[in-house]
Amino acid sequence: MAFLVSGMHRSPNFSWRTCGKGKTGFRKMTTLVTGATGFVGSAVVRCLLDDDGHDVRALVRPSSDLRNLENLPVDVVHGDLADPLSVKKAMDGCEFLFHVAADYRLWVPDPEAMYRSNVQGTRNVMFEALRSGIRKVVYTSSVATLAPSSNGNSCNEVSCGCLEDMIGYYKRSKFLAEVLVQRLIEECDLPAVIVSPSTPVGPRDIKPTATGRIILDAISGRMPAYVDTGLNLVHVNDVAEGHRLALERGEIGERYILGGENLSLREILEELATLAGHSPPRFRMPHSAAALVACISETCSKISGGGEPRVTRDSVKMARKYMFFSSEKAKMALGYHPRPVREGLLDAVNWFRRNGYCK
């Protein structure tokens, strides 16, 4: 793939103070957010609006669910990442870019659609950022591109994986997209910072995400057993704040993990049971049994055409390793300070209840 593009070299350095913030009387910055209607993207939008230094523009597909942007002063531009002309239109006049959009599913009937969104879409966005002279880019990757530990130790930004290590189409597509961004930084002076959120929880998970479904199943009493695994959970609003800090303080070419607390799945379910007022599951299911359940679940989904299965074979494979990560680099370099994850779980439970996802 040819990454070098003539005439696209840009200086990554700028003075943040010359940009100013709304509260100080300076002009606001026009900032584009892709994926603004999603779980993380809408949190980033709200964080930027609270900062009062940004006129936020959102690139949104015509078919997108706009509930997460209701009553927000956002300039909505309809388009698609797969359409370079609509990306160009959305980016016209912008100074900064948050590329948050991604197809996040652990099971897809058409893998090519995921690659078009996550890899080709990222390519279109980053090439237009170079062409239009965007001053700084914050690219949302994922800890999914890192190599998790098999013994429960926390991994950091140097825990690099390879394509062969990536389980499932989502991980592989995000890995390829991050490689693309890194090469554009190195070879074309793309002024980008990479952030890698862990597993966000909290309000406005409208789909919901795979983690949101675990929360819903747990508080609704639909999870009789668990597997031996672990996750790093973080409040989605802290992930959004980490994005803002990366724009303000992040170093071009660097990657920062935006995580919270490392917890076993059993600890997570115990906390959710406490919030829901019932007993947590006590039965630990062997990974082999979970794999059988996933196989049956996927088969039923294919036959019925009923969408993403409750349990997938890829998710069971990933559960064999602890997804524990450290955010020390972000804390030291960006001033990132995530809150206790119990607040994120509580906010998620309350939001799901208020919005009719469960009783």
Side-chain angles (χ1 to χ4, degrees), residues 262-284:
N262 293 317
L263 297 169
S264 69
L265 181 55
R266 179 176 178 175
E267 290 172 324
I268 295 169
L269 296 178
E270 287 175 345
E271 183 63 45
L272 289 170
T274 299
L275 294 174
H278 60 67
S279 299
R282 298 296 182 188
F283 174 62
R284 188 179 71 177

Side-chain angles (χ1 to χ4, degrees), residues 202-203 215-216 219 272 275-276 344-355 358:
I215 293 172
L216 279 171
I219 63 176
L272 289 170
L275 294 174
L345 292 172
L346 179 59
D347 285 350
V349 170
N350 288 338
W351 188 87
F352 282 135
R353 284 174 168 166
R354 285 198 306 269
N355 288 274
C358 61

Side-chain angles (χ1 to χ4, degrees), residues 198-219:
S198 58
T199 306
V201 295
R204 294 180 297 278
D205 188 359
I206 58 175
K207 279 191 172 181
T209 60
T211 312
R213 289 199 301 272
I214 291 175
I215 293 172
L216 279 171
D217 286 346
I219 63 176

Side-chain angles (χ1 to χ4, degrees), residues 184-342:
L184 288 175
I185 293 170
E186 295 168 3
E187 299 178 13
C188 298
D189 293 333
L190 177 71
V193 178
I194 299 172
V195 293
S196 300
S198 58
T199 306
V201 295
R204 294 180 297 278
D205 188 359
I206 58 175
K207 279 191 172 181
T209 60
T211 312
R213 289 199 301 272
I214 291 175
I215 293 172
L216 279 171
D217 286 346
I219 63 176
S220 302
R222 294 194 299 263
M223 188 169 286
Y226 64 93
V227 294
D228 184 17
T229 190
L231 297 169
N232 183 288
L233 298 186
V234 59
H235 198 298
V236 68
N237 291 348
D238 291 328
V239 172
E241 175 65 6
H243 278 68
R244 186 192 67 79
L245 291 169
L247 179 68
E248 183 174 345
R249 305 176 188 177
E251 190 173 331
I252 301 300
E254 291 295 320
R255 174 169 53 190
Y256 303 93
I257 293 174
L258 303 179
E261 293 182 40
N262 293 317
L263 297 169
S264 69
L265 181 55
R266 179 176 178 175
E267 290 172 324
I268 295 169
L269 296 178
E270 287 175 345
E271 183 63 45
L272 289 170
T274 299
L275 294 174
H278 60 67
S279 299
R282 298 296 182 188
F283 174 62
R284 188 179 71 177
M285 179 182 291
H287 286 95
S288 57
L292 178 60
V293 172
C295 186
I296 296 171
S297 181
E298 287 190 11
T299 301
C300 291
S301 288
K302 288 179 181 177
I303 294 173
S304 66
E308 189 171 349
R310 284 264 175 203
V311 185
T312 68
R313 285 176 287 183
D314 285 342
S315 66
V316 174
K317 289 178 184 177
M318 287 186 278
R320 292 183 179 274
K321 294 187 178 182
Y322 281 75
M323 310 292 278
F324 285 174
F325 299 93
S326 169
S327 300
E328 286 305 309
K329 180 178 178 180
K331 291 177 181 178
M332 296 293 293
L334 305 180
Y336 172 70
H337 295 294
R339 73 199 74 185
V341 77
R342 187 180 191 277

Side-chain angles (χ1 to χ4, degrees), residues 34 81 99-106 114-120 122 126 138-146 162-163 166-182 194-197 243 255:
T34 68
L81 299 181
H99 182 41
V100 188
D103 184 346
Y104 172 43
R105 290 177 289 169
L106 298 182
M114 179 170 281
Y115 284 105
R116 284 195 298 271
S117 178
N118 292 350
V119 184
Q120 186 62 36
T122 296
M126 295 304 158
V138 177
Y139 168 65
T140 308
S141 183
S142 168
V143 293
T145 67
L146 301 172
C162 61
L163 185 59
M166 300 295 111
I167 298 171
Y169 298 115
Y170 172 71
K171 280 195 170 191
R172 285 196 283 271
S173 65
K174 289 298 287 184
F175 180 88
L176 292 172
E178 186 176 307
V179 169
L180 167 68
V181 173
Q182 289 174 332
I194 299 172
V195 293
S196 300
H243 278 68
R255 174 169 53 190

Side-chain angles (χ1 to χ4, degrees), residues 16 19-29 48-55:
W16 184 263
C19 300
K21 297 185 178 182
K23 293 176 181 177
T24 63
F26 293 103
R27 65 178 177 86
K28 290 188 177 184
M29 302 161 284
L48 295 175
L49 293 174
D50 288 344
D51 184 55
D52 198 32
H54 300 266
D55 283 326

